[in-house]
Amino acid sequence: MSYPKPRYLGERGQVSALFRPAPPQPDTGSGATDISYVAKQENTDGEFGLYKIDMEPKTNGATEHFHRTISESFYVLSGEVRLYNGERWVTGGEGDFLYVPPGGLHAFQNDSDDPVSFLLLFTPGAPREEYFEKVAEYSQRSREELKAFRIRHDQYNTTDMLDD
């Protein structure tokens, strides 16, 4: 086992930690799905983006898609979420984890009668906030505009591929 090459070469360390208090309300969302920006890529020097997702019961999430530039990881905090791992749907409960490398097909939804809360980790960090904030708006536009919006945000939905 080996560690990556050092990226900090100082001798004594530095004051550089970021503390973010829990926000009083989510940063964005539809009510059925709320999203809190735990750590945006701009706060982590592009290392990662970390988001907390809270979904009401019987709420659709993301349909089957993949990313070309980022991995996506799911960590369930509470409740149960249905996760598509590229082959089949699995039920993730508290403490369960799913890692999806770049190119990996995946999807998620809350089929249960209870709310679910989970973390999404994107690595390296990507500016996902605009995607989260505007995807509902673009979903009301033409299929071409929605597809272009998704591609701009490294979101390749398999249903969009049927149009090609």
Side-chain angles (χ1 to χ4, degrees), residues 7-13:
R7 297 182 308 176
Y8 173 76
L9 302 174
E11 295 298 319
R12 296 184 173 259

Side-chain angles (χ1 to χ4, degrees), residues 22-36:
Q25 59 191 18
D27 292 292
T28 193
S30 64
T33 300
D34 290 326
I35 304 169
S36 299

